[in-house]
């Protein structure tokens, strides 16, 4: 049974930083794409960052490139996301998500996954609220 347990988030002022963590279980971490998506009020769910559990660089949504950094620790089956230079428009629900049985890192590319229903994600957590005040 796949489980995703996220932590972090909260409230911060504009320009501040927050860190999200998500621990996964019940799947082969090294063959997964894991990361975050967000739902901002009035907008469709968007991909924030994904990373391959088997190693490699993260893939980012255009609106967070240069400000957010995703990393993975395959010893702990956990992904982390550092969010810096936060803006009020980053406010929303952040969902940890995973797609399993992925044979190669390139399949975690958000640009490719945009064309797939729900980004091809199989499992989602309940969401963590991030609030950035101006």
């Amino acid at each position: 049974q796949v489980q995703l347990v996220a932590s972090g988030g909260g409230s911060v002022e504009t320009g501040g930083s927050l860190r999200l963590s998500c621990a996964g279980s019940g799947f082969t971490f090294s063959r997964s794409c894991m990361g975050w998506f967000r739902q901002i009020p009035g907008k469709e769910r968007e991909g924030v960052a994904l990373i391959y559990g088997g190693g490699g660089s993260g893939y980012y949504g255009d609106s967070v490139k240069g400000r957010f950094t995703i990393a993975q620790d395959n010893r702990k089956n956990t992904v982390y996301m550092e969010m810096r230079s936060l803006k009020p428009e980053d406010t929303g629900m952040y969902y940890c998500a995973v797609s399993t049985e992925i044979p190669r890192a390139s399949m975690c590319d958000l640009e490719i996954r945009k064309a797939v229903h729900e980004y091809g994600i199989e499992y989602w957590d309940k969401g963590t609220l991030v609030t950035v005040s101006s």
Side-chain angles (χ1 to χ4, degrees):
Q1 180 182 359
V2 174
Q3 286 192 321
L4 300 172
V5 180
S7 60
S11 298
V12 68
E13 294 185 346
T14 297
S17 300
L18 286 172
R19 188 191 201 209
L20 299 178
S21 302
C22 186
S25 61
F27 59 94
T28 304
F29 185 82
S30 61
R31 289 173 55 86
S32 70
C33 297
M34 193 164 161
W36 280 270
F37 293 76
R38 68 185 182 187
Q39 184 83 53
I40 294 174
K43 295 188 176 182
E44 294 184 354
R45 185 178 291 184
E46 67 172 317
V48 178
L50 276 181
I51 193 165
Y52 189 52
S57 301
Y59 297 89
Y60 299 91
D62 289 340
S63 61
V64 306
K65 284 179 182 176
R67 299 188 298 123
F68 291 13
T69 303
I70 191 170
Q72 55 95 343
D73 184 342
N74 56 22
R75 297 167 302 171
K76 299 180 179 180
N77 287 5
T78 299
V79 294
Y80 307 92
M81 185 166 71
E82 294 284 345
M83 303 183 290
R84 298 183 179 87
S85 302
L86 284 161
K87 308 173 183 179
E89 51 264 44
D90 293 315
T91 294
M93 287 296 290
Y94 283 68
Y95 297 91
C96 177
V98 67
S99 183
T100 64
E101 296 304 318
I102 304 299
R104 55 187 179 273
S106 61
M107 294 178 68
C108 299
D109 191 337
L110 283 170
E111 285 300 313
I112 295 173
R113 286 181 168 266
K114 272 182 183 178
V116 181
H117 176 66
E118 290 280 79
Y119 288 85
I121 295 295
E122 302 158 77
Y123 303 97
W124 306 83
D125 83 327
K126 64 183 185 306
T128 300
L129 182 62
V130 170
T131 304
V132 185
S133 58
S134 57

